Amino acid sequence: MTRSGKEVVAVVTGASRGAGKGIAEALGGTGATVYVTGRSQGGGDSSYGGSVHETAEEITRAGGTGIPVVVDHADDAAVAELFMRVRAEHERLDILVNNAATVASPAPGGFWERPLSTADVLTVGLRSHYVAAWHAAPLLIANGRGLIVNTGHYGAVSYHQGPAYGAQKAGADKMAADMAKELHPYGVAALSVWMGGLDTERARAYLESLTQEQRAALPPRESTRFTGCVIAALYASDELMAFTGRTVIGAELGAYLDVTDVDGSRPRSRRHVLGGPPEPHASLRQEES
């Protein structure tokens, strides 16, 4: 993927596995240079496998340039080093995808009965989004065009995994809207994209614990690459700034941009079941001063 004759440079956080890995690979498939971050250096670092090195190799095989960077997004200094490297090597940035999040495994009981570490998603998952965007913004502005995407979920407006998860998702949506307001004069867009149920390593492990009848009752899952394909199409679109400040459902934005999943299917919006993004206040409309 090129823009105005220049290669597209992207950073995808939390890309060792799952959604981040798929997004990074999809961007790589367009020819982009993609910096992939995460804590996993080897496939054995997580029971679900994956590492930043494996993701970077997949990006390069897909036709892009994958650059693995081991980063703990709770470490502000490490994040600063990441973006200093991007500046030194490219002097600009096209796309930042904030996906890194410390999401606890689902547990029974009320929030007061679960480990307090469940709230860590507000550090790596919300604060970390702000820190990454803080460092990325000057590079996006220097590029003259840019995009920040916070990966989101229907859990911002419906119950899903408890109050910490819900606060992180809702907070990331509002953060993107406020950043969009301040970045708009510089031609940089910011938005949240809600993903549906994904075919991740974690999801596959969960599905294996269900009966065949239970699995059959579930809606189809999106590939982890679908959201990356949507992001690539949006960045290439002349309508990019029309979507800034918004929270969008990935399946709906994909349909609008005529993006299909890797198997040719069109993921379905879950708006009618799980709710949709709220309308932004007038103060967030980009025509407001």
Side-chain angles (χ1 to χ4, degrees):
M1 177 167 54
T2 61
R3 185 77 193 181
S4 300
K6 298 184 294 186
E7 66 174 333
V8 168
V9 181
V11 172
V12 181
T13 73
S16 297
R17 64 191 67 83
K21 175 177 167 63
I23 291 168
E25 290 174 353
L27 292 174
T30 68
T33 293
V34 188
Y35 290 80
V36 294
T37 77
R39 292 180 298 172
S40 297
Q41 300 189 56
D45 290 351
S46 167
S47 59
Y48 299 109
S51 71
V52 291
H53 298 286
E54 291 176 15
T55 301
E57 290 170 1
E58 289 292 335
I59 290 167
T60 302
R61 275 195 287 269
T65 302
I67 303 175
V69 187
V70 177
V71 176
D72 180 349
H73 281 272
D75 183 345
D76 288 356
V79 177
E81 288 180 11
L82 163 68
F83 287 98
M84 283 191 288
R85 178 176 175 181
V86 175
R87 179 181 292 278
E89 295 176 353
H90 296 280
E91 299 183 342
R92 62 184 181 83
L93 182 65
D94 290 271
I95 300 171
L96 167 65
V97 180
N98 280 317
N99 177 72
T102 302
V103 180
S105 298
F111 70 88
W112 61 94
E113 298 172 293
R114 301 175 197 137
L116 193 54
S117 59
T118 302
D120 288 351
V121 72
L122 301 177
T123 300
V124 178
L126 190 57
R127 185 182 184 278
S128 60
H129 287 9
Y130 189 97
V131 174
W134 188 88
H135 286 288
L139 295 170
L140 295 161
I141 291 169
N143 192 49
R145 176 186 174 89
L147 172 62
I148 297 173
V149 172
N150 292 344
T151 57
H153 186 262
Y154 299 89
V157 297
S158 59
Y159 183 82
H160 190 80
Q161 296 191 24
Y165 183 90
Q168 185 265 328
K169 293 305 179 190
D173 292 351
K174 183 57 164 58
M175 183 185 293
D178 286 352
M179 287 181 175
K181 178 75 174 180
E182 298 178 6
L183 287 168
H184 188 268
Y186 304 97
V188 177
L191 66 154
S192 279
V193 177
W194 287 5
M195 303 179 289
L198 300 179
D199 182 25
T200 64
E201 301 87 349
R202 185 189 294 261
R204 288 178 208 142
Y206 167 70
L207 291 173
E208 287 179 3
S209 70
L210 303 180
T211 66
Q212 184 174 351
E213 290 75 16
Q214 289 172 320
R215 289 195 295 269
L218 296 174
R221 289 186 171 268
E222 298 173 9
S223 80
T224 56
R225 293 194 180 199
F226 175 70
T227 302
C229 294
V230 172
I231 292 170
L234 177 62
Y235 190 66
S237 171
D238 292 335
E239 296 183 80
L240 171 64
M241 296 307 293
F243 288 92
T244 192
R246 296 174 59 182
T247 295
V248 298
I249 295 171
E252 295 178 2
L253 181 57
Y256 180 81
L257 296 171
D258 197 26
V259 176
T260 58
D261 209 337
V262 293
D263 62 355
S265 66
R266 293 189 181 275
R268 294 182 296 183
S269 170
R270 302 280 288 162
R271 177 190 291 268
H272 65 293
V273 177
L274 298 173
E279 286 297 314
H281 184 263
S283 63
L284 288 167
R285 293 174 188 159
Q286 301 311 319
E287 65 268 23
E288 296 286 333
S289 60

